[in-house]
Amino acid sequence: MATATAARTRSSASQTLGQEFALRGPARSFWQDSWARFRRDRLAIMGGVIFLFLCLLAIFAPLLSAYFTHYDPNQINLKENYALPSAKHWFGTDEYGRDSLTRIIYAGRISLSIGFLYALVSLTIGVVLGLAAGYYGRWFDDLLQAIVNIFAAIPLLPLLIIVGSLVKLGWVQLALLLSAFGWIGASRQVRGLVLSIKQRDYVWAARTVGAADGRIMFQHILPNVFSIILVIVGFDVAGAILTESGLSFLGFGVQPPTATWGNMLSNSLSYTTKDPWLVFFPGLAISLTVLSVFLLADGLRDAMDPRLRQ
Amino acid sequence: MTRYLVRRLLQTIPVLFVISIMQFGLFISAPGGPLKAYLMDPNISKEDVARLEHQYGLDQPVPIQYLNWMGNILRGDFGRSYFTHRPVMESIFERLPATVELGLAATLISYLIGIPLGVYAGLHRGGTIDHLIRFFTSILNAVPHWWLGLIIIILIANFKVRTGIQILPIAGIKTLGKEGFDLIDYLRHLILPALMLGTGGWVTFGRYMRSETLEVLGQDYVRTARAKGLAERVVTFRHVLRNALIPVVTISAGIFVGLVSGAVIYENIFSWPGMGRLLFDATLKKDYPIAIGVLFIFSILAVLGRLVSDITYGWVDPRIRYD
Amino acid sequence: MRKTLTMALGLVVILSLVLAACGPAPTSTPVPPPTTVPATAVPTKPPAPTPTTGPVRGGMYIDASFADAVSLQPLITNDSASSNYQGLVWAPLTRIDPKTLDIVGVMYEGSPTFSADGSKMTWKLRQGLKWSDGKPITSADIVFSWQKLIDEKVKVLVRSFYTNAYSDIKAIDDYTVEYTLKTAGYCPAVNNSAIPVLPKHIFENLDINQNDVNMKPTVTSGYFQFKEWTKDDHFTASPAYAGFVRGQPLLDGYTYRIVKDNTVQTALFKTQEVDVAYPDPVDWDEMSKLPFANPVAYYSAVGAPWTYIGYGMRNPLLADKVVRQAISTAINKQEMIDKIRLGHAKPIYSILPSSSWAAADVKDLPQFSFDPAKAKKMLDDAGYKLSADGKRLDKSGKPIKLGLYFNAGNKQREQIAVIAQQYLKDIGIETTVEAVEWNAYLDRVMNKHDMDMYVLGWTGGGDPSSTKPLWTTGQSQNYSEYSNAEVDKLYVQAETVPGCKQADRKAVYVKIQQLIAEDAPYVFLYTNENLNVYNKRVGVLPATGLGVMYDLEKVSITAQVTK
């Protein structure tokens, strides 16, 4: 806040004086610079911490259920159904008497797995294609454009509905199906970045000197691409979780009794009057995850945005 | 320019056919069919269903059905619904306006909210308002929108029970019993679904405007304007806004198309009688001709949207030339 | 820090929004409900001027439907939405009397007469009935409709229901119709005599499969005339038809509003934009206590939905009757009813729900009452022992593992499966619960027969003879592949009881129910109670097994609520 405004005025003043380099201080690498900016962004840090915490919960779900909550996520107990949050059940129980906290943790495994798998696959495809198209250009680029046009013409949600009604979608299939369309955005951004980097002096210089294509791509282009990859991963994970919840609401998506945050949320809608806590916790889980990821990714993007470097 | 357009169109139309055909293949190879569900009806026997399947040609081997259907499609005949027997395109065009209107309204709302917010956040980067805007838009995008829509419906209903006041209609396209077309009534019904649908849109616009504004602010001509001594307001409107708005035009078409296909969920929740619901019902019932017809129309809209996007991009940015 | 504060504020706002939305309505506290329309100045029209003791005429009744109809052409549809709309505009030939549950004529008069050898059934059509354009309704319309029903070119959905009962319908004179029965003395023929009746002068030159009248019929015979149909939004039948066979309805019109989601339907009832809601048991209490709500709960005498767990009896384990009986004994039906339906269901022990006229007394049926100890003993005695670690072993010593399936999206069936899994675990049988997409589900139930145990339901038909295709050897709806020669004989006997009196036929059906219950081809679970809430402004009829809207012409709106 105060520091940013000060920096702005300082830089415009210094630039007109032509003495910006003298005022700036020791030179820093791209990563050091980005990290320094990131550290100052409290929202982003908080987002990162929360997201990390949720991922850890998901990873250690079986340990947590054995030693911490002492409940099995599928163990029903009809006498204690619809229980309100209490010392015995921190998040209460659902319509079968299953412990909600344990279920939320296990559901997180699936929801986060969907998010990460989706991000992994769509980024792999998108980055590879985007890199190649941006770097090699010409017919390869045209081919990519044609493919992108085809996929972009297919409306995602209607297609998901149609496929979901025909084929049983486990979480893996769902993630893969989503990534069949998700790679487009990544490839576009990567391609754009590669194109702009290609014009820069040091790449041009490297080529003049005779450096191999692969070397150029690895040494110069990839590190820059990597920065936007981080950001895209964040938005992808969040987007996949939200899409999965929408599909569960419509009835297609991972089916109970396997729990995901999405199907827990849509399932709970029948119980808004009987037990609103069933609605609250999955909603909180999704929102917290998506929010923390957004803040993290936003912060990363701001931190690495070259235009904001002062 | 025209050559570019023609080339793009030539590229995509056959692709759309291919997609439709792939979809049909998916449909008929999956178990069941439009008539199988009737077997659970005590008044309908296996013989009845078998007879009808024969009449519809559904008992023929899959490749034959495929070829028959593909032949019709290539002639532009999308067939008739297995249930209503009405031509597919007739049913779709009945619902198309509602969906398009919803999409347009949502896009408009995205503009009206997203652009001012984004510009403001960009101009005051780092300020409290910027953080508040970032925070609230993040929260709004973090909650599943369909869930938010349902919660709002429940809120409005509970509010009416407690106080007797109904803030907004929660379902349908018009109040029942009203004759003719009443614009105010229509708009009141349109607001909630358009707002919910547009939420994703205005967050995207907001972010985009914010980063565009920031980029423009760093440009030389802005510094020059400030150095000249122009009032901040003039700088904002004359230079910053005008230039930052340019790219908005290009992503609008994309946003509109995304909203139209995302309308399915909101048409379900708010009982809006559009194409999305038609698709949803047809898919559940295995009414293939209708489902594929709707998918095709969505795809055409998507293609048109991107074409418009590309054209306007070239038009507003003189640096782009089409070869 | 400012940022943290604003964040905290934001979170608090959202939290309170969510909790407020989900909070119980204030009517859960005992506040006396207001006796008049709620306080915002909603003007109430004074009731229409009526004679001192007359019924109130006028008003539009608004119903909610989960789906939109396909068409108003009865010959080519049978989905419930289409049947509902059609029921408003087309008058039926017969109906079920709400009190006696007998078939009585509507457009037909009284009861039919039979020829001496029982092969012909004759109905008399009421004289003076007219279509809404003034043309008389005669036997020519009925014969025309029959000919279209059996026409091979017409894509008729419900045909064998009629053609199994009779082979021909012909007109003896303008007001006498004679049916030729396929089997002489076939009792259900009366039940199946109400074919849909179309106006001959309108449809004779049209292709029944596709024509504009199917969507917009202007010449009708039913309670109300067709007014408008906005697809997926609403359907309105109005005004009331003065020439309706049972007398001009009191209501002005009947509208169906199409609302897909149960949450939204509930909300619409609360805003009083629809006059009726069909709440789930979890919402029943809250909805019943709304100040303007009139709750009606009843067990349907016709079309009662009941749920069961079926077996894939190709699995040799499940072909063993003792195993099935033990499983039935291990399942606590009452607890399922209490937890899943919150008490709003009745246990069922055989193939007919208790509200059917042919249902056997519960005390006459084998009940397999909940007794896990007994179930374990049954299995032990039959040679299925428990292993050391509590797993039930089959006769070759392998632990038993069964698949338990339900159709994806059906919440009730999911609950049955998950809870049944626990009961089976308690007697040592391990199961995996899995959701299957509906069409694949049907395919596996009807064709593949590869699901060990599956949760499904039937809706009771009008006449018990409609259960024949389910339980007789090799018949079209016998998905369990059940075969019992005695049951086959009894079914034929029940259909041809001389005199066709309900009491006589019932005796035969009771024997059938006992035999099938003993064989336990299903785990018979429960019948759902119908839960409806009506807006108090609707003057509904006294409740019977057919609900409170059965004589629709007598339903009225007692207070006008304008918006």
Side-chain angles (χ1 to χ4, degrees), chain B residues 39 41 45 48 51-52 55 80 83-84 95 128 135 139 158 160 164 166 171-172 179 268 277 281, chain C residues 2 7 14 21 70 78 152 156-157 159-160 210 227 232-233 257 260 270-271 273 446 477 479:
Chain B
L39 286 169
D41 186 325
S45 68
D48 287 319
R51 169 179 45 86
L52 282 166
Q55 276 185 301
R80 291 170 178 272
F83 292 88
T84 65
R95 323 281 184 106
T128 326
F135 184 70
I139 287 201
N158 283 342
K160 173 140 191 214
Q166 182 161 2
E179 301 289 339
N268 261 336
R277 270 178 74 180
D281 293 336
Chain C
R2 244 185 299 172
M7 261 162 21
I14 294 197
V70 168
N78 204 45
E152 281 308 317
V156 177
L157 257 183
R159 179 181 294 154
S160 36
Q210 46 204 54
K227 180 150 191 249
D232 267 348
D233 190 61
R257 246 202 130 137
K260 288 210 160 315
K270 286 187 185 168
T271 60
E273 288 178 82
M446 298 172 186
Q477 282 174 327
Y479 303 127

Side-chain angles (χ1 to χ4, degrees), chain C residues 526-559:
Chain C
Y526 55 77
T527 323
N528 286 356
E529 187 178 22
N530 275 358
L531 300 173
N532 303 356
V533 270
Y534 293 90
N535 191 303
K536 282 199 173 124
R537 76 185 196 126
V538 182
V540 295
L541 306 165
T544 67
L546 297 183
V548 295
M549 304 280 282
Y550 45 88
D551 285 339
L552 186 56
E553 71 279 0
K554 301 203 182 89
V555 174
S556 60
I557 303 264
T558 50

Side-chain angles (χ1 to χ4, degrees), chain A:
Chain A
M1 292 179 298
T3 33
T5 348
R8 201 164 59 211
T9 33
R10 189 181 38 167
S11 88
S12 39
S14 62
Q15 274 159 0
T16 41
L17 289 176
Q19 281 171 330
E20 52 189 298
F21 296 110
L23 282 169
R24 261 227 259 149
R28 293 187 288 196
S29 79
F30 173 68
W31 293 107
Q32 286 175 308
D33 195 37
S34 304
W35 173 244
R37 273 215 296 280
F38 184 75
R39 271 177 55 197
R40 285 205 296 264
D41 189 341
R42 262 175 251 254
L43 276 182
I45 299 232
M46 200 183 57
V49 167
I50 294 180
F51 186 60
L52 189 62
F53 174 66
L54 291 168
C55 290
L56 286 174
L57 276 185
I59 295 176
F60 292 112
L63 286 177
L64 285 168
S65 107
Y67 297 108
F68 180 59
T69 63
H70 303 290
Y71 288 111
D72 180 281
N74 292 320
Q75 179 64 40
I76 73 173
N77 185 349
L78 291 175
K79 309 252 182 310
E80 288 187 16
N81 64 357
Y82 302 115
L84 298 177
S86 66
K88 192 164 170 206
H89 292 280
W90 285 19
F91 282 8
T93 63
D94 65 4
E95 66 270 24
Y96 299 102
R98 300 182 292 206
D99 180 51
S100 284
L101 174 59
T102 317
R103 280 184 75 75
I104 293 259
I105 295 178
Y106 267 87
R109 287 192 119 183
I110 309 239
S111 294
L112 285 169
S113 304
I114 293 177
F116 280 113
L117 182 59
Y118 165 72
L120 181 70
V121 176
S122 58
L123 267 175
T124 309
I125 302 177
V127 168
V128 166
L129 289 181
L131 266 179
Y135 192 74
Y136 290 115
R138 283 164 293 135
W139 65 267
F140 198 86
D141 194 19
D142 283 341
L143 180 63
L144 181 68
Q145 287 299 87
I147 297 179
V148 164
N149 284 340
I150 293 176
F151 274 90
I154 305 176
L156 182 62
L157 198 55
L159 182 78
L160 286 175
I161 291 174
I162 292 180
V163 175
S165 75
L166 297 169
V167 173
K168 172 146 176 240
L169 286 179
W171 70 265
V172 175
Q173 293 100 312
L174 182 60
L176 292 177
L177 186 58
L178 288 176
S179 44
F181 294 87
W183 63 266
I184 297 177
S187 78
R188 224 184 257 152
Q189 284 195 277
V190 168
R191 176 179 168 274
L193 186 64
V194 170
L195 283 178
S196 75
I197 292 178
K198 239 174 41 165
Q199 327 292 9
R200 288 198 202 156
D201 298 340
Y202 58 87
V203 174
W204 188 78
R207 288 174 93 178
T208 323
V209 171
D213 283 340
R215 194 189 143 109
I216 294 180
M217 279 214 275
F218 251 76
Q219 276 208 321
H220 298 286
I221 298 182
L222 203 50
N224 289 284
V225 167
F226 192 68
S227 63
I228 47 168
I229 288 181
L230 275 185
V231 177
I232 296 178
V233 166
F235 289 115
D236 273 354
V237 170
I241 293 183
L242 287 175
T243 308
E244 187 262 320
S245 81
L247 274 180
S248 291
F249 167 68
L250 289 174
F252 314 107
V254 181
Q255 295 295 336
T258 312
T260 67
W261 286 337
N263 72 23
M264 282 178 82
L265 186 63
S266 72
N267 184 50
S268 68
L269 284 170
S270 324
Y271 304 110
T272 48
T273 43
K274 179 120 183 125
D275 189 353
W277 292 107
L278 287 178
V279 179
F280 180 69
F281 287 113
L284 183 68
I286 293 182
S287 313
L288 210 56
T289 308
V290 174
L291 181 62
S292 60
V293 163
F294 272 169
L295 291 177
L296 177 63
D298 246 353
L300 278 175
R301 187 168 57 184
D302 270 2
M304 296 191 284
D305 190 343
R307 292 175 301 186
L308 303 172
R309 300 180 70 181
Q310 298 290 336

Side-chain angles (χ1 to χ4, degrees), chain C residues 398-470:
Chain C
K398 282 205 316 277
I400 297 177
K401 274 196 172 63
L402 297 173
L404 180 50
Y405 304 88
F406 65 95
N407 54 303
N410 190 314
K411 188 76 200 141
Q412 193 189 200
R413 292 182 194 160
E414 175 204 326
Q415 289 177 307
I416 291 174
V418 172
I419 296 178
Q421 180 181 43
Q422 183 61 43
Y423 294 139
L424 288 171
K425 191 158 161 218
D426 290 341
I427 59 170
I429 297 182
E430 205 183 298
T431 54
T432 39
V433 173
E434 201 184 305
V436 180
E437 184 269 326
W438 177 238
N439 283 276
Y441 199 68
L442 286 181
D443 190 43
R444 293 172 76 171
V445 169
M446 298 172 186
N447 302 325
K448 298 216 180 87
H449 305 282
D450 65 347
M451 297 195 283
D452 290 328
M453 298 173 68
Y454 58 91
V455 187
L456 202 44
W458 284 109
T459 304
D463 190 272
S465 63
S466 63
T467 60
K468 180 172 173 218
L470 276 68

